[in-house]
């Protein structure tokens, strides 16, 4: 279906300022600067600057009224390869005054045509833990973007799972209490927590590649390249690396403990030490955008509250 007077075309370099101002009055909880937008879209190695494929704007009387991004990987996900059956929609929006006229659907038709031409089988809004190319938010914000949720459901998407964003002030973080709980008798045998050092980087990266394949490796490498080795902690059990966490300022994560040793308060030991360091480094809060339901229960114990609720959606085509 095409909406009268609306054309869909590939994105152009000089759309940036118009797109960013439309983005900021539509995705009101996720405002962006031109610098971040350019990094997110044009500098993304999965964006092809020759074809500009997988990215469209909707135009009406020479004004941009809609935007959509669809991603297939051209750069392999670390340890998971090109994920050739999957496609991702990290962002789609239509100007508030132009919504409910069929423009979003016109963009969606382009998206699906594109994914089908690339033999994709599963489409994600916006991604999965370990695989969320073009990540801006984990899924549709259930409170802020209700129309978005209704829109995807109309197109046959189903809710796959529902992660949350969480935060807390750490000005009064009860360190002693949480430390005692984390290191309770019977949970400490053979365990130690330490920063990554030049001598242990290789061991850390081998652990990541083996137990957390996917884009957490990319985040770990970015942190190491940025010279922030001290802001990565590893947990050892009987000398072997079994867990880690990293942070950037007050932004906590990613964070993972090897599956077969979960439930031994290794995560708690890592988190409590990370918060101690974040606070000592002048942090006032900790926050993150994405915790799956099990992880959310973990953070609740440390007084973090849910700040946003997301729906990750999936369409099998
Ligand atoms: C999601 C969005 C792009 C849809 O664009 P749109 O042009 O309004 O969509 P359409 O007019 O093609 O709507 C198609 C169907 O979606 C559903 N829908 C869309 N908006 C809806 C709303 N506000 N309430 C209920 N259902 C809605 C309806 O079933 C609609 O069909 P109908 O009008 O025949 O009933 C737009 O609502 C938007 O920009 N929202 C804010 C950004 C956002 O949430 N993006 C998703 C996060 S990635």
């Amino acid at each position: 279906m095409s909406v009268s007077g609306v054309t869909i075309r590939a994105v152009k370099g000089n759309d940036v300022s118009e797109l960013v101002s439309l983005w900021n009055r539509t995705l009101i909880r996720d405002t962006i600067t031109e610098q971040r937008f350019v990094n997110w879209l044009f500098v993304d190695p999965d964006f092809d600057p020759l074809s500009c494929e997988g990215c469209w704007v909707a135009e009406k009387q020479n004004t941009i009224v809609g935007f959509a991004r669809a991603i297939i990987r051209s750069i392999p996900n670390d340890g998971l390869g090109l994920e050739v059956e999957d496609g991702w929609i990290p962002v789609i929006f239509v100007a508030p005054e132009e919504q409910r006229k069929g423009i979003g659907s016109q963009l969606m038709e382009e998206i699906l045509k594109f994914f089908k031409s690339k033999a994709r089988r599963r489409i994600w809004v916006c991604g999965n833990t370990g695989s969320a190319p073009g990540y801006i938010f984990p899924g549709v914000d259930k409170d802020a973007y209700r129309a978005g949720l209704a829109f995807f459901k109309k197109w046959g998407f189903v809710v796959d799972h529902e992660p949350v964003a969480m935060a807390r002030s750490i000005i009064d973080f009860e360190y002693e209490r949480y430390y005692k709980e984390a290191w309770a008798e019977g949970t400490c045998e053979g365990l130690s927590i330490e920063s990554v050092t030049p001598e242990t980087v290789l061991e850390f990266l081998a652990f990541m590649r083996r137990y957390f394949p996917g884009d957490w490796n990319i985040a770990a490498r970015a942190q190491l390249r940025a010279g922030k080795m001290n802001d990565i902690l590893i947990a050892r059990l009987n000398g072997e690396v079994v867990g880690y966490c990293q942070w950037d300022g007050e932004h906590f994560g990613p964070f993972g403990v090897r599956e077969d040793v979960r439930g031994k308060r290794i995560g708690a030991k890592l988190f409590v030490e990370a918060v101690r360091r974040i606070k000592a480094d002048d942090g006032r809060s900790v926050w993150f955008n994405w915790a799956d339901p099990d992880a959310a229960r973990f953070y609740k114990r440390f007084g973090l509250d849910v700040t946003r609720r997301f729906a990750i959606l999936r369409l099998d085509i």
Side-chain angles (χ1 to χ4, degrees), residues 1 3 26-27 65 67 89-96 98-108 125-126 137 139-141 144-155:
M1 186 191 78
V3 181
T26 309
L27 294 171
V65 292
F67 172 82
I89 306 174
V91 171
I92 178 170
F93 60 82
V94 168
E98 297 291 343
Q99 288 179 13
R100 215 66 199 266
K101 296 178 183 174
I103 299 172
S105 295
Q106 208 173 330
L107 286 163
M108 185 60 87
V125 179
C126 301
F137 26 66
V140 179
D141 183 315
Y145 309 136
R146 284 167 191 270
L149 200 54
F151 170 79
F152 285 115
K153 285 186 173 170
K154 169 85 186 271
W155 275 89

Side-chain angles (χ1 to χ4, degrees), residues 58-134:
E59 210 169 33
K60 187 175 174 180
Q61 291 161 349
N62 290 322
T63 300
I64 295 176
V65 292
F67 172 82
R69 171 91 171 109
I71 297 185
I72 57 166
R73 289 191 187 276
S74 51
I75 303 292
N77 191 9
D78 206 310
L80 294 176
L82 287 170
E83 301 180 293
V84 294
E85 296 202 331
D86 294 283
W88 295 266
I89 306 174
V91 171
I92 178 170
F93 60 82
V94 168
E97 64 281 8
E98 297 291 343
Q99 288 179 13
R100 215 66 199 266
K101 296 178 183 174
I103 299 172
S105 295
Q106 208 173 330
L107 286 163
M108 185 60 87
E109 280 167 15
E110 289 296 329
I111 291 173
L112 293 178
K113 204 160 56 174
F114 170 71
F115 281 140
K116 282 179 183 157
S117 77
K118 305 288 183 184
R120 301 293 132 159
R121 306 285 298 276
R122 268 182 315 273
I123 310 306
W124 296 97
V125 179
C126 301
N128 241 317
T129 304
S131 181

